[in-house]
Amino acid sequence: DQQVKQNSPSLSVQEGRISILNCDYTNSMFDYFLWYKKYPAEGPTFLISISSIKDKNEDGRFTVFLNKSAKHLSLHIVPSQPGDSAVYFCAAFISNFGNEKLTFGTGTRLTIIP
Amino acid sequence: NAGVTQTPKFQVLKTGQSMTLQCAQDMNHEYMSWYRQDPGMGLRLIHYSVGAGITDQGEVPNGYNVSRSTTEDFPLRLLSAAPSQTSVYFCASSPSPRKQYFGPGTRLTVT
């Protein structure tokens, strides 16, 4: 049972345009969400996160939006650059004692076309 | 500061063999975890530890053992390798389970 889903396995975007990566979740207990970026032959690296008390968090070119009623979050990258080509994973977390686990989505491969 | 290190980078095993994947961190993090990454499956948690002497199962623990005798080290043992365990394995550490720092991975092939 996949509690965190990324329904687009891949996405191609022109350099300079906006990249939008989507993530859906089914467990309403999730209250903290993260995005990780992964280059080939490397481990994932943390990109940006958002708590469920917010609906938006920005960090430079990266913005994460959270829609709790739709159980949906998205990552916007503006403007997209060739170095953004990577696999992006969303992850979710329940902040209560006794549940110390991140649940990851299946990933979206983003390709930025020069 | 080396961060999270994993050895070996690559390994080929025959079915039935056992081996240990090593993971070490020098950031004094309490939380460590092991994931496997398979095509179309994302990152799935195998085992995790919230501190020395404390381990627990994740989503896909069968066929794997862990122990945590020190804060720095969190080895993953494959008891009797099977082709279904062919995967890329990532170790991670963090001060809390949220923002985890991943190692570079071990690519394991079981024939």
Side-chain angles (χ1 to χ4, degrees), chain A residues 1-2 31-32 34 36 38 41-46 51 87 89 93 95 98-107, chain B residues 31 35 37-38 40-45 48 50 56-59 88 90 97-105 107:
Chain A
D1 176 30
Q2 192 76 32
D31 59 0
Y32 195 84
L34 307 92
Y36 281 81
K38 185 185 178 306
E42 295 183 11
T45 54
F46 169 77
S51 164
V87 177
F89 293 97
F93 183 76
S95 302
N99 184 79
E100 294 88 4
K101 296 178 244 189
L102 269 184
T103 302
F104 281 85
T106 52
Chain B
Y31 188 91
Y35 294 87
Q37 185 194 3
D38 302 291
M41 304 292 286
L43 290 157
R44 292 183 293 169
L45 183 65
Y48 66 100
V50 298
D56 205 347
Q57 296 182 350
E59 183 185 352
V88 182
F90 292 101
R98 294 182 180 187
K99 183 180 167 184
Q100 297 186 24
Y101 298 83
F102 284 83
R107 185 173 293 274

Side-chain angles (χ1 to χ4, degrees), chain A residues 12-17 80-83 85 111-114:
Chain A
S12 295
V13 174
Q14 288 285 135
E15 181 179 358
R17 306 292 290 266
S80 299
Q81 298 175 353
S85 294
T111 302
I112 304 303
I113 304 164

Side-chain angles (χ1 to χ4, degrees), chain B residues 8-108:
Chain B
K9 288 195 184 321
F10 302 94
Q11 183 70 49
V12 179
L13 289 178
K14 293 189 187 307
T15 297
Q17 287 184 316
S18 62
M19 80 157 295
T20 300
L21 279 62
Q22 301 292 345
C23 174
Q25 53 97 2
D26 61 1
M27 297 174 282
N28 203 33
H29 288 161
E30 290 297 324
Y31 188 91
M32 296 187 75
S33 52
W34 276 101
Y35 294 87
R36 58 179 289 175
Q37 185 194 3
D38 302 291
M41 304 292 286
L43 290 157
R44 292 183 293 169
L45 183 65
I46 305 171
H47 284 286
Y48 66 100
S49 169
V50 298
I54 307 169
T55 64
D56 205 347
Q57 296 182 350
E59 183 185 352
V60 288
N62 292 340
Y64 307 96
N65 268 0
V66 291
S67 60
R68 184 95 179 269
S69 56
T70 66
T71 299
E72 295 77 21
D73 300 297
F74 191 43
L76 177 73
R77 282 182 288 278
L78 278 71
L79 309 172
S80 176
S84 60
Q85 294 179 304
T86 293
S87 187
V88 182
Y89 291 85
F90 292 101
C91 178
S93 78
S94 60
S96 82
R98 294 182 180 187
K99 183 180 167 184
Q100 297 186 24
Y101 298 83
F102 284 83
T106 294
R107 185 173 293 274
L108 176 68

Side-chain angles (χ1 to χ4, degrees), chain A residues 1-2 19 24 29 32-33 37 43 45 48 56 70-72 77 88 93 100-101 108-109:
Chain A
D1 176 30
Q2 192 76 32
S19 295
D24 296 295
M29 297 290 290
Y32 195 84
F33 304 89
K37 176 179 180 179
T45 54
I48 192 169
K56 176 182 170 181
K71 296 192 182 69
H72 176 83
I77 306 173
Y88 290 79
F93 183 76
E100 294 88 4
K101 296 178 244 189
T108 297
R109 181 179 302 278

